Amino acid sequence: MKEIILVKNGELTLKGLNRFTFEDALVTNIKRHLKAFGDIKIQKAQSTMYIEPLSEDFPFEDALERVGTIFGIAAYSRCCVVEKDFDKILETAPIYLAETMKSIKTFKVEAKRSDKQFPLKSPEICREVGGKLLQSFPHLRVDVHNPDEVITVEIRDYAAYIRAGQLHGAGGLPVGTAGKSAILISGGIDSPVAAWTMAKRGLSLDAIHFASPPYTSPRAEMKVRTLLSKVARYCGTIKLGIVPFTEIQQEIGEKCPEEYFTLIMRRMMMRIAERLARKQNCLALITGESLGQVASQTLPAISVTDSVCNMPVFRPLIGMDKEEIISISRKIDTFETSILPFEDCCTVFTPKHPKTRPTEEQCALAESALDIEALVEMAVNGTEFSFIN
Ligand code: ATP
Ligand code: MG
């Protein structure tokens, strides 16, 4: 019995003439995600993709789990392929669905007939297949309102497909179709969620992390790598740049008024990140800021960190509560890593009374003793790159 994974494309079906570019990107991404599971063939038709394994021992369950991480997919299911002959469909359904049917009490059948030449109409298909299943599994009952399982028979161009249930896809747009941006990644809860949220809109990602050894430990850096590898399950390989930040923080500590430490540090981060991002053809920065969460995320504070940067800064979590952010971090499996207690460079040199209503003029004055250009240059030149899969 031939089985495939049937994929329903998400939002990209709305893309008009551009649709093909988006579909091609999705095909490429599916191949990349499933490469480790063996050879596959992918066919496109009618807002759908058919993923056909070419090996006998294809690990369907592992592959299905992975398909759930691919952006651009609205829904997906494992199903069996049958010739478009109604007797064959009736004969195959109870055999293919046996295990599922034995484990449930109620079901309903839905039919989708995109091949309008097929001799039976959808209600007839439902009635006949439903009858056959009831006959084969006498313990079952039909419940059209609240069934334990929905059985679907789809009659499409080249074949018929039988399946039990359907899984929700990751949604969004295929990674890469929106270009590339750089996520400022800390070891916290927020930035990995911000990264995932923007990858979902089709961005591929580079990452930038500011490290301040010996104030921050190698374990903090490992934590960032682990978080990125979890995000990379969704968006593919991420190029990570680790910026040496110790000297800059020390200079800020020596030369600037204490209540501005965090703000000036964040302004330096944005300047350095922008320079690195441009070098790597990223068109925007992404941060995990959320309005009002901490002193450096009040509106005046965000305003003075934004003003030093001349590229778009995406802050996808800006309007989210911590609870909402945590629920996404649990879903994408970054939460447990994020709460490991390793210090971030932001927690070094934290002012006792941070300025919460800074103005641009005050910040410019507070950082006037720094040779900003030289510090940015030094940080950019000292950045070390590696790839996270
Ligand atoms: P997170 O949970 O992402 O660490 P946070 O609530 O701790 O965020 P901040 O420490 O103020 O907030 O950082 C705000 C944003 O600045 C982070 O979401 C991240 O995008 C960026 N950021 C903070 N620290 C670093 C760092 N060491 N390297 C790179 N980016 C950082
Ligand atoms: Mg943080």
Side-chain angles (χ1 to χ4, degrees), residues 35-69:
K35 206 163 86 190
F37 301 118
D39 287 343
I40 53 169
K41 191 169 113 192
I42 301 179
Q43 270 185 302
K44 308 185 279 181
Q46 301 163 319
S47 314
T48 303
M49 306 232 176
Y50 306 88
I51 305 174
E52 183 187 332
L54 298 176
S55 60
E56 287 293 316
D57 54 354
F58 186 75
F60 260 99
E61 290 310 309
D62 294 343
L64 277 173
E65 196 192 328
R66 195 66 202 239
V67 170
T69 67

Side-chain angles (χ1 to χ4, degrees), residues 184-218:
L184 278 76
I185 183 101
S186 68
I189 295 170
D190 304 326
S191 40
V193 173
W196 179 87
T197 308
M198 293 315 299
K200 188 174 183 192
R201 295 310 301 164
L203 284 174
S204 55
L205 301 177
D206 277 352
I208 300 171
H209 175 68
F210 295 85
S212 297
Y215 303 106
T216 59
S217 71

